[in-house]
Each structure stands twice: as C-alpha cells, then as structure tokens.
Amino acid sequence: MSTKKMLLSGFPKVGDKVELPNIASLLAMPWFQYADADEVYRHGGEIYRNLLDKIPLMHNRKHVLITSRVQLLSPSKVSIKFVDRWHTDGSGSPLLTQNNDITHLLISKCSAVTQFNSQVVETDSLPENISQMELNHYIEENKDRLGLVAQDIEAERFVTFGASHAHRAVLPKELEFRFMFRVIESDIFQPASFEQSLVTDSFTYNENPDGTQFTIDKFEKTAAYKSIEQLKDKVIINL
C-alpha cells in the first residue's frame, strides 16, 4: 500500500471585515443547506447578495454551495459533533488530488468561535487512500505529539481554507445566537435544488458528561413569526 506524509497547513487566509446585520435580521432571513450560490444570489435576498459579493471566490471549481443558519447555543449544547475535536473538511481522499475543495467561513460575534491550527505540521506516513474520517481520527488522536496550536478566527471576517487545514469548534461560554455562513467551491459536492436546500431549523448536540451519547435539540424557525426585534443584546421573537 502506498503511503505519503501530509503537511497540515498553518492559519488560513483572512479576508476584510464584513459588517453583519443584527441577529434579529439574520433570524428573519432564509437559511440554506448546500444551496447553489447563483440561486441564493437571485432569490435569497439583499443580505445574501451583499455577503456573496464579498467572498474571495477562486472561480475555478464546478460548483459553489452555500450553507447558512443561526444556531442557538449554550455551554451544554454545541453546534457540531466536532466540538473540541480536530478535523479537516473536504470530499474524496484527503491525500489525493481530487480532494480540492475550497471553503470560505464567516461567523458572527460569539464565544463559540472556530479555532485553526496556527502552524505547518507534518504528519506521519499515511495510506494514500485514507478517508476523511480516518484522517480526522488520526489528527485528533495525535494532536499533542503533532504539536497542533489553536488560534481563534476573528468574527465577521471570511477565512479561506482547504482540506489540509485542521480546525475545531469550541463550546460557547454562555447562551447565545451564532450565525454561520459557509461557502464551498468544489468539483465533487453538488448543490441541492433551491427548494430542497431551504432549511427551517437548526440542530445542536447535547452531549452526556461521559461523552457516550448525545441528544439532538431542534431550534425551530417558522415563517409565522409576527415580528423579530433586536433590543440591545436581547432578541424578542413574537409568535
């Protein structure tokens, strides 16, 4: 079996400051899961058009996919199952050339930031056909020996990264809303239709202290809101 060492990249490229609307406005707009960027630009509304105009797209992949949502988080409810676990993103085999996805990530101001490894690290020799899941397990199990160093990304700035950028989510320090806007440029991932890509809920994972199980809480978004108001640091939703 052919093996190959991999260089885990240092801190990703950081874009210019992006001014986001308040959480009330973000709650009121549609959310998407793997939507086609052109469809979102045409039908998603002014906020999405402004965001898409600011993304530093490479324009050299077949598809551009949009995922967005507002997550309601607390110290016991996390945004993804990778909380505090190092991993990489992408499609295909990470060590082979077909895994060439480019991801652009933007988050709102919150304590549940994403952290990236801040310096270049070389892995051991790994099977060339290693899967994304196997690579992520290897990175997490060997994080101390590899010398991964966590650095927070800054809110309201796009960070651009590829399949060699190790990163992790962290627990929020308090109950908070978190807006996440992720754009993937890919030759492999294909967008869903506009109707299928619309989402009306946001999931958080509530882990047991022993880490053996987790339950899923669903934060429901509905078009039946009478109004959503931003009052200083509070959001008032009238049903």
Side-chain angles (χ1 to χ4, degrees):
M1 179 183 298
S2 298
T3 60
K4 184 178 180 181
K5 292 186 177 181
M6 177 181 185
L7 290 179
L8 297 178
S9 300
F11 201 73
K13 182 179 179 181
V14 180
D16 296 332
K17 191 76 173 178
V18 176
E19 186 174 344
L20 286 173
N22 59 34
I23 290 295
S25 298
L26 296 172
L27 280 167
M29 68 185 195
W31 305 337
F32 299 99
Q33 179 79 21
Y34 297 133
D36 181 86
D38 289 337
E39 291 292 300
V40 174
Y41 196 90
R42 284 195 291 267
H43 306 297
E46 183 178 358
I47 294 175
Y48 281 115
R49 284 193 289 273
N50 290 337
L51 289 175
L52 288 167
D53 284 338
K54 292 178 172 63
I55 300 173
L57 292 174
M58 302 292 290
H59 297 290
N60 59 358
R61 305 295 192 272
K62 294 179 182 177
H63 310 291
V64 181
L65 303 89
I66 305 296
T67 294
S68 64
R69 58 178 38 85
V70 175
Q71 298 156 315
L72 180 59
L73 307 176
S74 75
S76 63
K77 297 174 183 177
V78 296
S79 57
I80 58 172
K81 287 181 284 186
F82 285 120
V83 64
D84 206 30
R85 292 184 62 84
W86 289 101
H87 64 284
T88 59
D89 293 341
S91 53
S93 298
L95 300 190
L96 301 179
T97 55
Q98 72 259 31
N99 189 36
N100 60 353
D101 297 344
I102 300 296
T103 302
H104 312 276
L105 176 67
L106 175 75
I107 62 171
S108 60
K109 293 178 182 178
C110 61
S111 63
V113 298
T114 299
Q115 297 179 329
F116 278 82
N117 174 47
S118 63
Q119 57 190 19
V120 177
V121 172
E122 186 177 58
T123 69
D124 303 303
S125 294
L126 302 170
E128 279 199 335
N129 64 346
I130 191 171
S131 69
Q132 197 81 40
M133 184 179 297
E134 291 168 335
L135 175 63
N136 290 340
H137 179 76
Y138 163 83
I139 293 172
E140 174 61 23
E141 290 298 308
N142 294 277
K143 58 187 176 184
D144 295 330
R145 184 172 61 82
L146 291 172
L148 300 186
V149 178
Q151 180 178 337
D152 295 353
I153 66 171
E154 186 178 344
E156 299 186 344
R157 289 184 187 271
F158 279 106
V159 291
T160 298
F161 59 96
S164 62
H165 285 90
H167 55 286
R168 65 184 181 183
V170 300
L171 283 170
K173 297 177 182 178
E174 57 189 4
L175 182 68
E176 63 185 8
F177 285 112
R178 177 183 188 263
F179 174 65
M180 184 274 297
F181 183 65
R182 185 175 66 231
V183 180
I184 300 174
E185 298 182 78
S186 179
D187 288 329
I188 298 177
F189 280 132
Q190 296 190 28
S193 69
F194 187 76
E195 292 77 14
Q196 291 176 330
S197 67
L198 284 166
V199 295
T200 58
D201 48 47
S202 182
F203 295 99
T204 58
Y205 298 85
N206 189 12
E207 297 193 25
N208 291 342
D210 60 5
T212 57
Q213 296 180 345
F214 62 89
T215 58
I216 299 177
D217 290 340
K218 186 167 69 172
F219 166 52
E220 194 77 25
K221 178 179 188 294
T222 171
Y225 295 159
K226 292 180 180 178
S227 66
I228 305 176
E229 303 173 67
Q230 184 86 29
L231 300 177
K232 292 186 179 180
D233 59 346
K234 296 181 180 180
V235 176
I236 308 300
I237 299 176
N238 299 309
L239 301 177

